[in-house]
Amino acid sequence: MMLALEMFRSLPRTVAGKAMGSRMPGILSGFAAPLRLVTIDQPRVDRPGWARLRTRLSGICGSDLGALSGQTSLYFSAVVSLPFVPGHEVVAELLEDCDDLTAGTRVVLDPVLTCAARGVEPCENCSTGHTNRCSRITVGHLAPGLQTGFCKDTGGGWGQQLTAHRSQMHVVPEGWSDEQALLMEPLSCAVHTALRAGVRHNDRVLVSGAGSVGLFATLALRQLTSAGEIIVVAKHAHQRELAQEFGATEVVQPSEVLRRVRRTTGAFQLKPELSAPFLLGGVDVAIDAVGSKTSLETALNATRAGGRVVLSGMPAAADLSAAWFRELEVVGTYASSQSETLSNGESKGAFDLAADLAVLEPVVQLSKSVASYPLHRWREALDHAHAAGRLGTVKVAFDPRSTGSSS
């Protein structure tokens, strides 16, 4: 038996979270959370290419908080299977040999459950390396689940053990800490975001948000593209300092964004009745790295006509008038791909590119500030994650090893 946190179907709790979660985040770690600490059977493996792993660390992501708060769109209800153990940012060690890897090997997971993991013939996207666009995430020998941590059959990192397919595993380089390895998955997503943004030489880029998504996107933009000015929107003082370390040209508070962009670009600012102001002119590319209504509207309203707005955070409902009127390209960016195309035409996996970023000094230093909790303190951990920006924390994680023992 082993300990795990399990998300379960509860309509009353979901309704309560949706109604009050944004105003009272504390209830999401209290009575309204559709999450429970349970003792369940250890996972079993009965198919080639699969193995059991022992979790070392598993991050708490914004998408996890969205699911627990009921803020996630019902669109995703068709691509998850309840009850499931959350946790898709995972550092773990193999409990048994798996193909070319031996027991004890530390790995990080690409959480997307692709055709290879599901034991079906590759779809068109998987066959070309665009695995994050897999068309078979509800079929094969697994229950529906877009990723590990959203599928009832695989388990997730918020449990002491889980299962994974060899195609998902990336070996942790010797000498890396678990905390440094934990940042690989969000870094790979940032790589995909930066390359999907289609930044041209010397483009002005706005990054709306300076949590882990925004910081890593800023780093990837600076390291992998020829972006010119990168303006980052940050609420808190520590975020402003980190954004500059990660490559921002300038960091502004939310209330200053349009004024700053207008001054740089010569755009005109307009103020409609009972609505947020917007620019005629603006940045070439804007990345919404939060997923809130406010952050998305900031990105839309600060982008020049014909520019591109990239949805990196899971999007909230927002006024899309600017996208129509200013003929903006609105682009989604989800997870990461096994085949990313660099500006020189070379193709490389997102996790390989993320490994190059993970050894840079800002990331190494950031990894030392990861806050970890045992599973039985899950309420404290979720409270911390909800308030991470205000408290000066970039990443909160679970360490299931410090909660009892699995036998």
Side-chain angles (χ1 to χ4, degrees):
M1 303 295 286
M2 69 171 202
L3 287 175
L5 290 167
E6 183 179 73
M7 185 172 176
F8 59 98
R9 181 174 281 105
S10 172
L11 184 59
R13 296 189 187 205
T14 299
V15 169
K18 188 177 287 290
M20 295 182 287
S22 60
R23 299 190 301 275
M24 302 171 59
I27 72 168
L28 304 178
S29 56
F31 75 90
L35 192 70
R36 57 196 174 199
L37 182 63
V38 294
T39 301
I40 58 177
D41 290 334
Q42 295 173 340
R44 296 181 179 180
V45 171
D46 56 6
R47 292 182 176 85
W50 283 82
R52 294 180 304 131
L53 301 97
R54 179 182 290 115
T55 307
R56 297 175 68 90
L57 283 178
S58 184
I60 301 174
C61 175
S63 59
D64 299 318
L65 298 177
L68 290 170
S69 67
Q71 302 304 305
T72 301
S73 168
L74 292 176
Y75 175 95
F76 294 100
S77 63
V79 291
V80 301
S81 49
L82 291 164
F84 60 75
V85 177
H88 61 275
E89 300 175 356
V90 183
V91 183
E93 60 189 60
L94 280 165
L95 290 172
E96 55 217 2
D97 295 347
C98 183
D99 293 348
D100 59 320
L101 301 182
T102 58
T105 302
R106 272 193 313 161
V107 298
V108 292
L109 296 188
D110 179 346
V112 180
L113 293 168
T114 64
C115 292
R118 293 183 167 277
V120 297
E121 288 296 314
C123 65
E124 182 179 354
N125 288 315
C126 284
S127 63
T128 57
H130 300 298
T131 44
N132 57 325
R133 302 177 186 175
C134 177
S135 302
R136 308 279 168 77
I137 53 175
T138 61
V139 298
H141 54 64
L142 295 175
L146 68 168
Q147 294 185 0
T148 295
F150 296 96
C151 174
K152 68 180 181 181
D153 289 345
T154 63
W158 296 8
Q160 292 179 310
Q161 292 184 24
L162 71 158
T163 63
H165 188 260
R166 176 64 183 91
S167 63
Q168 298 179 272
M169 301 177 194
H170 297 267
V171 177
V172 177
E174 199 69 33
W176 283 25
S177 68
D178 287 338
E179 290 78 9
Q180 186 179 5
L182 181 67
L183 302 181
M184 278 279 285
E185 196 277 337
L187 276 169
S188 72
C189 296
V191 164
H192 183 65
T193 293
L195 297 177
R196 182 108 168 96
V199 175
R200 298 171 303 182
H201 179 69
N202 214 35
D203 269 355
R204 287 190 177 95
V205 183
L206 176 72
V207 178
S208 182
S212 61
V213 176
L215 290 173
F216 292 160
T218 301
L219 182 68
L221 285 165
R222 186 58 76 202
Q223 296 293 324
L224 300 176
T225 77
S226 56
E229 188 176 46
I230 301 176
I231 303 170
V232 176
V233 184
K235 283 185 178 180
H236 307 288
H238 75 280
Q239 292 178 331
R240 293 193 284 273
E241 294 173 5
L242 285 172
Q244 290 180 327
E245 293 174 10
F246 276 69
T249 308
E250 186 169 355
V251 187
V252 299
Q253 295 183 354
S255 61
E256 301 172 345
V257 177
L258 295 190
R259 183 168 63 250
R260 172 64 183 84
V261 173
R262 182 184 61 184
R263 187 171 71 246
T264 299
T265 64
F268 294 99
Q269 179 170 322
L270 303 181
K271 179 63 176 79
E273 295 180 6
L274 303 176
S275 185
F278 65 88
L279 298 181
L280 296 180
V283 298
D284 302 296
V285 177
I287 295 174
D288 173 21
V290 178
S292 70
K293 179 177 183 290
T294 301
S295 64
L296 177 52
E297 289 185 350
T298 295
L300 290 165
N301 292 341
T303 304
R304 64 167 176 80
R308 176 171 287 197
V309 174
V310 182
L311 309 181
S312 184
M314 188 179 294
D319 185 349
L320 296 177
S321 298
W324 171 76
F325 177 54
R326 307 303 288 159
E327 292 197 338
L328 302 178
E329 295 181 22
V330 179
V331 175
T333 171
Y334 161 69
S336 65
S337 172
Q338 292 179 10
S339 179
E340 303 283 358
T341 303
L342 299 169
S343 57
N344 62 4
E346 178 186 358
S347 292
K348 202 171 182 181
F351 271 78
D352 295 329
L353 293 166
D356 295 335
L357 300 183
V359 299
L360 298 179
E361 186 63 19
V363 179
V364 174
Q365 290 303 317
L366 186 67
S367 71
K368 297 176 182 178
S369 67
V370 171
S372 62
Y373 289 82
L375 294 178
H376 69 270
R377 292 173 58 194
W378 65 271
R379 298 182 192 277
E380 294 174 64
L382 294 181
D383 280 340
H384 191 164
H386 276 290
R390 177 172 53 81
L391 297 175
T393 307
V394 174
K395 179 56 64 178
V396 181
F398 286 111
D399 181 352
R401 297 169 297 177
S402 59
T403 305
S405 61
S406 56
S407 57

